[in-house]
Amino acid sequence: MNKISLRIADLRKKTKITQQELADSIGVSFQTVSKWETGVSQS
């Protein structure tokens, strides 16, 4: 994982929202958020 991946996961957990809730609020799928957090995808 890189710095951005860790930051996304950390901020999401601090605000106590799920990947699905984050995804819905920014208009992407929860799979996309998961990929960002694991460093699989940067886009």
Side-chain angles (χ1 to χ4, degrees):
M1 287 207 297
N2 61 37
K3 215 171 180 181
I4 292 171
S5 299
L6 292 172
R7 186 72 173 146
I8 292 169
D10 183 52
L11 289 173
R12 182 183 60 77
K13 289 173 186 174
K14 282 183 180 177
T15 58
K16 297 181 180 174
I17 63 171
T18 65
Q19 288 180 340
Q20 184 65 61
E21 290 169 328
L22 176 58
D24 290 344
S25 70
I26 60 174
V28 298
S29 70
F30 79 90
Q31 292 98 335
T32 298
V33 173
S34 177
K35 287 178 183 179
W36 290 341
E37 290 186 2
T38 60
V40 173
S41 176
Q42 300 281 319
S43 40

Coordinates of all heavy atoms in Angstrom, one line a residue:
M1 N 0.8 -1.2 0.0 CA 0.0 0.0 0.0 C 0.9 1.2 0.0 O 1.9 1.3 0.6 CB -0.9 0.0 1.2 CG -2.0 -1.0 1.2 SD -3.5 -0.6 2.1 CE -3.0 -0.6 3.7
N2 N 0.4 2.2 -0.7 CA 1.1 3.5 -0.7 C 0.5 4.5 0.2 O -0.5 4.2 0.9 CB 1.3 4.0 -2.1 CG -0.1 4.3 -2.7 OD1 -1.0 4.8 -2.1 ND2 -0.2 4.1 -4.0
K3 N 1.1 5.7 0.3 CA 0.6 6.7 1.2 C -0.9 7.1 0.9 O -1.6 7.3 1.9 CB 1.5 7.9 1.0 CG 1.8 8.7 2.3 CD 2.8 9.7 2.0 CE 3.1 10.5 3.2 NZ 4.1 11.5 3.1
I4 N -1.2 7.2 -0.3 CA -2.6 7.6 -0.6 C -3.6 6.5 -0.2 O -4.6 6.8 0.4 CB -2.8 7.9 -2.1 CG1 -2.0 9.2 -2.5 CG2 -4.2 8.1 -2.5 CD1 -1.9 9.5 -4.0
S5 N -3.3 5.3 -0.4 CA -4.1 4.2 0.0 C -4.4 4.2 1.5 O -5.5 4.0 1.9 CB -3.5 2.9 -0.4 OG -3.4 2.8 -1.8
L6 N -3.3 4.4 2.2 CA -3.4 4.4 3.7 C -4.2 5.6 4.1 O -5.0 5.5 5.1 CB -2.0 4.4 4.3 CG -1.1 3.2 4.1 CD1 0.3 3.4 4.6 CD2 -1.8 2.0 4.8
R7 N -4.0 6.7 3.5 CA -4.8 7.9 3.9 C -6.3 7.8 3.7 O -7.1 8.2 4.5 CB -4.2 9.1 3.1 CG -4.8 10.5 3.5 CD -4.2 10.9 4.9 NE -4.7 12.2 5.1 CZ -5.0 12.7 6.3 NH1 -4.8 11.9 7.4 NH2 -5.3 13.9 6.5
I8 N -6.6 7.2 2.5 CA -8.1 7.0 2.2 C -8.7 6.1 3.3 O -9.7 6.4 3.8 CB -8.3 6.5 0.8 CG1 -7.9 7.5 -0.3 CG2 -9.7 6.0 0.6 CD1 -7.8 6.9 -1.7
A9 N -8.0 5.0 3.5 CA -8.6 4.1 4.5 C -8.6 4.7 5.9 O -9.6 4.5 6.6 CB -7.7 2.8 4.5
D10 N -7.6 5.4 6.3 CA -7.5 6.0 7.6 C -8.6 7.0 7.8 O -9.3 7.0 8.8 CB -6.2 6.6 7.8 CG -6.0 7.2 9.2 OD1 -6.3 6.5 10.2 OD2 -5.6 8.4 9.3
L11 N -8.8 7.9 6.8 CA -9.8 8.9 7.0 C -11.2 8.3 7.0 O -12.1 8.8 7.7 CB -9.7 10.0 5.8 CG -8.5 10.9 5.9 CD1 -8.4 11.7 4.6 CD2 -8.6 11.8 7.1
R12 N -11.5 7.3 6.1 CA -12.8 6.7 6.1 C -13.1 6.0 7.4 O -14.2 6.2 8.0 CB -12.8 5.6 5.0 CG -14.2 5.0 4.9 CD -14.2 3.9 3.8 NE -13.3 2.8 4.0 CZ -13.4 1.8 4.9 NH1 -14.5 1.8 5.6 NH2 -12.5 0.9 5.0
K13 N -12.1 5.4 8.0 CA -12.3 4.7 9.3 C -12.5 5.7 10.4 O -13.3 5.5 11.3 CB -11.2 3.7 9.6 CG -11.2 2.5 8.7 CD -10.0 1.7 8.8 CE -10.0 0.6 7.8 NZ -8.7 -0.2 7.8
K14 N -11.8 6.8 10.4 CA -11.9 7.8 11.4 C -13.3 8.5 11.4 O -13.8 8.8 12.4 CB -10.9 8.9 11.3 CG -9.5 8.5 11.8 CD -8.5 9.6 11.7 CE -7.2 9.2 12.2 NZ -6.1 10.2 12.1
T15 N -13.9 8.6 10.2 CA -15.2 9.2 10.1 C -16.3 8.1 10.3 O -17.5 8.4 10.2 CB -15.4 9.9 8.8 OG1 -15.2 9.0 7.7 CG2 -14.5 11.1 8.6
K16 N -15.9 6.9 10.5 CA -16.8 5.7 10.7 C -17.8 5.5 9.6 O -19.0 5.4 9.9 CB -17.4 5.9 12.1 CG -16.4 5.9 13.2 CD -17.1 6.0 14.6 CE -16.0 6.0 15.6 NZ -16.5 6.2 16.9
I17 N -17.4 5.6 8.4 CA -18.2 5.3 7.3 C -17.7 4.0 6.5 O -16.5 3.7 6.6 CB -18.4 6.5 6.3 CG1 -17.1 6.8 5.6 CG2 -19.0 7.7 7.0 CD1 -17.2 7.8 4.5
T18 N -18.6 3.3 5.9 CA -18.2 2.1 5.2 C -17.7 2.5 3.8 O -17.9 3.6 3.3 CB -19.4 1.2 5.0 OG1 -20.4 1.9 4.2 CG2 -20.1 0.8 6.3
Q19 N -17.1 1.5 3.2 CA -16.7 1.7 1.8 C -17.9 2.1 0.9 O -17.8 2.9 0.0 CB -15.9 0.5 1.3 CG -14.6 0.3 1.9 CD -13.9 -0.9 1.3 OE1 -14.5 -1.8 0.8 NE2 -12.6 -1.0 1.5
Q20 N -19.0 1.4 1.2 CA -20.2 1.6 0.4 C -20.7 3.1 0.6 O -21.1 3.7 -0.4 CB -21.3 0.7 0.8 CG -22.6 0.8 -0.1 CD -22.3 0.4 -1.5 OE1 -21.9 -0.7 -1.8 NE2 -22.5 1.4 -2.5
E21 N -20.7 3.6 1.8 CA -21.1 4.9 2.1 C -20.2 6.0 1.4 O -20.7 6.9 0.8 CB -21.2 5.2 3.6 CG -22.3 4.4 4.3 CD -22.2 4.5 5.8 OE1 -21.1 4.5 6.3 OE2 -23.3 4.4 6.4
L22 N -18.9 5.7 1.5 CA -18.0 6.6 0.8 C -18.2 6.6 -0.7 O -18.3 7.6 -1.4 CB -16.6 6.3 1.1 CG -15.5 7.0 0.4 CD1 -15.6 8.5 0.6 CD2 -14.1 6.5 0.8
A23 N -18.3 5.4 -1.3 CA -18.6 5.2 -2.7 C -19.8 5.9 -3.2 O -19.8 6.7 -4.2 CB -18.6 3.7 -3.0
D24 N -20.9 5.8 -2.4 CA -22.2 6.4 -2.8 C -22.0 7.9 -2.8 O -22.6 8.6 -3.6 CB -23.3 6.0 -1.8 CG -23.7 4.6 -2.0 OD1 -23.4 3.9 -3.0 OD2 -24.4 4.0 -1.1
S25 N -21.3 8.5 -1.8 CA -21.2 9.9 -1.7 C -20.3 10.6 -2.8 O -20.5 11.7 -3.1 CB -20.7 10.3 -0.3 OG -19.3 9.9 -0.2
I26 N -19.4 9.8 -3.4 CA -18.6 10.4 -4.4 C -18.9 9.8 -5.8 O -18.2 10.2 -6.8 CB -17.1 10.2 -4.1 CG1 -16.7 8.7 -4.0 CG2 -16.7 11.0 -2.8 CD1 -15.2 8.5 -3.8
G27 N -19.9 8.9 -5.9 CA -20.3 8.4 -7.2 C -19.5 7.3 -7.8 O -19.4 7.3 -9.1
V28 N -18.9 6.5 -7.0 CA -18.2 5.3 -7.6 C -18.7 4.1 -6.9 O -19.5 4.1 -6.0 CB -16.6 5.5 -7.4 CG1 -16.1 6.7 -8.1 CG2 -16.3 5.5 -5.9
S29 N -18.2 2.9 -7.3 CA -18.6 1.7 -6.7 C -17.8 1.4 -5.5 O -16.7 1.9 -5.3 CB -18.5 0.5 -7.7 OG -17.1 0.2 -7.9
F30 N -18.3 0.6 -4.6 CA -17.5 0.2 -3.4 C -16.3 -0.6 -3.8 O -15.3 -0.5 -3.1 CB -18.4 -0.5 -2.3 CG -18.6 -2.0 -2.6 CD1 -17.7 -2.9 -2.1 CD2 -19.7 -2.4 -3.3 CE1 -17.9 -4.3 -2.4 CE2 -19.9 -3.7 -3.6 CZ -19.0 -4.7 -3.1
Q31 N -16.4 -1.3 -4.9 CA -15.2 -2.0 -5.3 C -14.0 -1.1 -5.7 O -12.9 -1.4 -5.5 CB -15.5 -2.9 -6.6 CG -16.4 -4.1 -6.3 CD -17.9 -3.8 -6.6 OE1 -18.3 -2.6 -6.6 NE2 -18.7 -4.8 -6.9
T32 N -14.4 0.1 -6.3 CA -13.4 1.1 -6.6 C -12.7 1.6 -5.3 O -11.5 1.7 -5.3 CB -14.0 2.3 -7.4 OG1 -14.5 1.8 -8.6 CG2 -13.0 3.4 -7.7
V33 N -13.5 1.9 -4.3 CA -12.9 2.4 -3.0 C -12.0 1.3 -2.5 O -10.9 1.6 -2.0 CB -14.1 2.7 -2.0 CG1 -13.5 3.1 -0.7 CG2 -14.9 3.9 -2.5
S34 N -12.4 0.1 -2.5 CA -11.6 -1.0 -2.0 C -10.3 -1.1 -2.7 O -9.2 -1.3 -2.1 CB -12.4 -2.4 -2.2 OG -11.6 -3.4 -1.7
K35 N -10.4 -1.0 -4.1 CA -9.1 -1.0 -4.9 C -8.2 0.1 -4.5 O -7.0 0.0 -4.4 CB -9.5 -1.0 -6.3 CG -10.0 -2.3 -6.8 CD -10.4 -2.3 -8.3 CE -11.0 -3.6 -8.7 NZ -11.4 -3.5 -10.2
W36 N -8.8 1.3 -4.3 CA -8.0 2.5 -3.9 C -7.3 2.2 -2.5 O -6.1 2.5 -2.4 CB -8.8 3.7 -3.7 CG -9.3 4.3 -5.0 CD1 -8.9 4.1 -6.2 CD2 -10.4 5.2 -5.1 NE1 -9.6 4.9 -7.1 CE2 -10.6 5.6 -6.5 CE3 -11.3 5.8 -4.2 CZ2 -11.6 6.4 -6.9 CZ3 -12.3 6.7 -4.6 CH2 -12.4 7.0 -6.0
E37 N -8.0 1.6 -1.6 CA -7.5 1.4 -0.3 C -6.4 0.3 -0.3 O -5.5 0.3 0.6 CB -8.6 1.0 0.7 CG -9.5 2.2 1.0 CD -10.5 2.0 2.1 OE1 -10.6 0.8 2.6 OE2 -11.3 2.9 2.4
T38 N -6.5 -0.7 -1.1 CA -5.5 -1.7 -1.2 C -4.4 -1.4 -2.1 O -3.4 -2.2 -2.2 CB -6.2 -3.1 -1.6 OG1 -6.8 -2.9 -2.9 CG2 -7.2 -3.5 -0.6
G39 N -4.5 -0.3 -2.9 CA -3.4 0.1 -3.8 C -3.5 -0.6 -5.1 O -2.6 -0.5 -5.9
V40 N -4.6 -1.4 -5.4 CA -4.7 -2.1 -6.7 C -4.9 -1.1 -7.8 O -4.4 -1.3 -8.9 CB -5.9 -3.1 -6.6 CG1 -6.1 -3.7 -7.9 CG2 -5.6 -4.2 -5.5
S41 N -5.7 0.0 -7.5 CA -6.0 1.0 -8.6 C -5.8 2.4 -8.0 O -6.2 2.6 -6.9 CB -7.4 0.8 -9.0 OG -7.8 1.8 -10.0
Q42 N -5.2 3.2 -8.8 CA -5.0 4.6 -8.4 C -5.9 5.6 -9.1 O -5.9 6.7 -8.9 CB -3.5 5.0 -8.8 CG -2.5 4.2 -8.1 CD -2.3 4.6 -6.6 OE1 -2.3 5.8 -6.3 NE2 -2.2 3.6 -5.7
S43 N -6.8 5.1 -10.0 CA -7.6 6.0 -10.8 C -9.1 5.9 -10.4 O -9.5 5.2 -9.6 CB -7.5 5.6 -12.3 OG -7.5 4.3 -12.5

